[in-house]
């Protein structure tokens, strides 16, 4: 996860730093052939389809939605309108789902109450002494404690997710609904959702949005201003872009928070305003599709990307210098790695589950060379405006995730680093 995140960050700010390792958990991993990919170690079952190819089919966890139950959340036809792709399943999560629908402004108060209860339960669990006897009694005691800890962790994940959804509702921004599998009857564009780019842009500081524009330029290339053109793209690739953008938004909010504090206190390093020439040189050298170091290969390396008009052309020209990017480029390798790391396992799981709920769980075929066989990827038609909307929502989701993770940790400590 750390390496994947560092790759996202390095590409968007024009830095080339070697990635150290790739974690087994998480939606994202990097290799030389593919920028990011869904994991094959987590919740997976392996079956062999034919000699020389290993087919990885994910388990049976369904695509989940938080669904409204009140009349105010139904459309004119009376059908239930989802407010987020992921369905919350724990008792606490279902309780918060109902409040999100009926009284979203009460979610923070409800969360406070639930966190107090979780803290009480955790403290009580710590005070229990293991039985002196060995064997079955001790094993049963430990198993019960493990089950309770897992229940608290699940509840904590869903509290974080509910708070993220509530922040979108406060901003009057609707989350993109689940993208259904394509069929002969539904062969049109998948991006039927309304454009809310202006609302999403206003949720970030001016300095952060300059870097988000660079991120969009890296994803869309010379089509960044062409919102009506339509491309046929692998759904897996679009999901990778989304998950990577969530991670980028998390990182961006983290560094922007530090930047804004130092700017307010007037202690920004002078080098922040003196790195213009270094940045242009870094952009020219490091933002190259298929090049060495940390480079963006999200869409430009895929066959349908070329046919659909997504090309790397204009990437370097699309990157704009900004004070925040200068500030980040002054970080040493260790600091950049620390800021590019998602701090909690719960946040990692939320990114995985939300992306999976939005795009569905892919079936991945691994070739004998260890690369991903993309020949059977499901294709979707989406406009470049739709891709921009997805990326903007994902970056904002990551930004909100940083906020709520910090908020919850201040009341129920769970972040380890």
């Amino acid at each position: 996860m750390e390496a994947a995140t560092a790759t996202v960050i390095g590409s968007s700010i024009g830095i080339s730093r070697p990635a150290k390792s790739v974690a087994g958990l998480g939606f994202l991993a990097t290799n030389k052939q593919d920028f990011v990919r869904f994991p094959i170690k987590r919740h997976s079952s392996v079956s062999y389809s034919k000699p020389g190819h290993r087919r990885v089919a994910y388990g049976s966890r369904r695509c989940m939605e938080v669904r409204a139950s009140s009349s105010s959340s139904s459309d004119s036809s009376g059908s239930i309108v989802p407010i987020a792709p992921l369905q919350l399943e724990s008792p606490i999560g279902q309780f918060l789902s109902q409040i999100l629908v009926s009284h979203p402004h009460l979610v923070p108060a409800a969360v406070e109450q639930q966190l107090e209860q979780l803290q009480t339960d955790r403290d009580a669990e710590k005070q229990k002494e293991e039985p002196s006897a060995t064997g079955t009694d001790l094993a049963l005691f430990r198993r019960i404690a493990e089950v309770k800890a897992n229940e608290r962790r699940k509840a904590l994940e869903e509290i974080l997710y509910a708070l993220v959804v509530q922040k979108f509702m406060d901003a009057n921004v609707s989350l993109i609904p689940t993208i259904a599998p394509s069929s002969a009857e539904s062969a049109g564009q998948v991006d039927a959702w309304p454009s809310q780019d202006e609302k999403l842009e206003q949720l970030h500081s001016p300095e952060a949005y300059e870097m988000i524009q660079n991120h969009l330029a890296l994803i869309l290339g010379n089509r960044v201003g062409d919102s009506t053109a339509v491309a046929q793209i692998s759904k897996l690739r679009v999901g990778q872009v989304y998950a990577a953008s969530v991670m980028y938004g998390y990182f961006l909010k983290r560094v922007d928070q530090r930047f804004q504090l130092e700017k307010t206190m007037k202690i920004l390093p002078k080098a922040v305003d003196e790195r213009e020439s270094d940045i242009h040189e870094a952009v020219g050298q490091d933002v190259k599709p298929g090049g060495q170091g940390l480079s963006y290969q999200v869409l430009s390396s895929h066959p349908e990307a070329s046919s659909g008009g997504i090309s790397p052309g204009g990437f370097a020209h699309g990157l704009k210098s900004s004070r925040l990017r200068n500030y980040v480029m002054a970080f040493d390798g260790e600091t950049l790695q620390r800021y590019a790391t998602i701090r909690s396992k719960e946040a990692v799981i939320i990114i995985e589950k939300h992306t999976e709920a939005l795009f569905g769980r892919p079936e991945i075929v691994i070739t004998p060379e260890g690369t991903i066989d993309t020949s059977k990827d499901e294709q979707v038609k989406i406009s470049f405006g739709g891709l921009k909307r997805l990326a903007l929502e994902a970056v904002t989701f990551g930004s909100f995730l940083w906020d709520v993770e910090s908020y919850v940790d201040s009341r129920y400590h769970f972040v380890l680093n």
Side-chain angles (χ1 to χ4, degrees), residues 101-151:
V101 171
S102 57
H103 302 91
H105 63 284
L106 297 179
V107 169
V111 165
E112 288 275 2
Q113 184 182 38
Q114 297 303 324
L115 290 176
E116 288 179 6
Q117 185 60 51
L118 287 179
Q119 185 65 55
T120 300
D121 294 344
R122 186 167 66 177
D123 292 343
E125 197 69 28
K126 289 180 179 178
Q127 293 174 2
K128 289 183 179 179
E129 295 183 1
E130 288 191 355
S132 56
T134 59
T136 305
D137 290 344
L138 182 59
L140 181 60
F141 176 87
R142 290 177 175 174
R143 177 56 182 160
I144 291 174
E146 181 184 351
V147 170
K148 290 183 177 179
N150 288 337
E151 289 176 349

Side-chain angles (χ1 to χ4, degrees), residues 295-337:
S295 59
Y296 246 78
Q297 297 180 342
V298 181
L299 295 174
S300 59
S301 62
H302 213 50
E304 67 267 25
S306 302
S307 61
I310 302 179
S311 69
F315 276 11
H317 296 290
L319 291 180
K320 299 177 182 179
S321 175
S322 69
R323 294 184 70 196
L324 182 55
R325 190 154 116 251
N326 296 2
Y327 178 76
V328 174
M329 289 185 69
F331 289 178
D332 57 50
E334 182 180 351
T335 301
L336 181 65
Q337 187 72 29

Side-chain angles (χ1 to χ4, degrees), residues 86-313:
L86 186 61
Q87 179 182 1
L88 307 185
E89 298 178 329
S90 71
I92 290 178
Q94 292 178 1
F95 168 67
L96 293 176
S97 296
Q98 294 174 359
I99 297 179
L100 276 169
V101 171
S102 57
H103 302 91
H105 63 284
L106 297 179
V107 169
V111 165
E112 288 275 2
Q113 184 182 38
Q114 297 303 324
L115 290 176
E116 288 179 6
Q117 185 60 51
L118 287 179
Q119 185 65 55
T120 300
D121 294 344
R122 186 167 66 177
D123 292 343
E125 197 69 28
K126 289 180 179 178
Q127 293 174 2
K128 289 183 179 179
E129 295 183 1
E130 288 191 355
S132 56
T134 59
T136 305
D137 290 344
L138 182 59
L140 181 60
F141 176 87
R142 290 177 175 174
R143 177 56 182 160
I144 291 174
E146 181 184 351
V147 170
K148 290 183 177 179
N150 288 337
E151 289 176 349
R152 288 194 298 271
R153 186 178 302 113
K154 174 80 170 178
L156 186 60
E157 292 168 11
E158 298 192 347
I159 285 172
L160 291 170
Y161 189 77
L163 286 173
V164 171
V165 173
Q166 192 252 346
K167 287 179 75 70
F168 274 101
M169 296 178 75
D170 281 351
N172 197 28
V173 175
S174 57
L175 285 163
I176 293 172
T178 299
I179 297 176
S182 60
S183 62
E185 292 78 16
S186 58
Q189 289 179 226
V190 298
D191 53 321
W193 50 79
S195 174
Q196 296 182 311
D197 293 359
E198 186 174 347
K199 291 180 182 179
L200 290 167
E201 293 167 7
Q202 293 173 353
L203 296 173
H204 305 275
S205 71
E207 293 88 354
Y209 187 66
E210 286 179 338
M211 289 189 66
I212 293 172
Q213 287 178 307
N214 291 337
H215 181 71
L216 294 173
L218 286 166
I219 293 172
L220 302 176
N222 55 11
R223 294 299 190 102
V224 68
D226 188 356
S227 61
T228 58
V230 177
Q232 185 165 311
I233 311 171
S234 159
K235 185 193 261 191
L236 174 62
R237 293 286 175 171
V238 179
Q240 290 171 344
V241 171
Y242 190 93
S245 296
V246 173
M247 296 168 66
Y248 181 68
Y250 181 98
F251 160 84
L252 191 58
K253 184 55 179 284
R254 191 173 186 178
V255 296
D256 187 47
Q257 195 174 68
R258 171 174 156 173
F259 174 84
Q260 297 298 336
L261 176 62
E262 293 187 8
K263 186 175 76 169
T264 301
M265 298 177 66
K266 302 185 185 304
I267 58 172
L268 280 174
K270 292 182 180 180
V272 169
D273 297 314
E274 297 174 354
R275 296 182 62 88
E276 297 296 323
S277 59
D278 293 342
I279 287 177
H280 289 298
E281 181 179 354
V283 168
Q285 292 177 355
D286 297 327
V287 186
K288 299 174 183 177
Q292 299 298 317
L294 300 179
S295 59
Y296 246 78
Q297 297 180 342
V298 181
L299 295 174
S300 59
S301 62
H302 213 50
E304 67 267 25
S306 302
S307 61
I310 302 179
S311 69

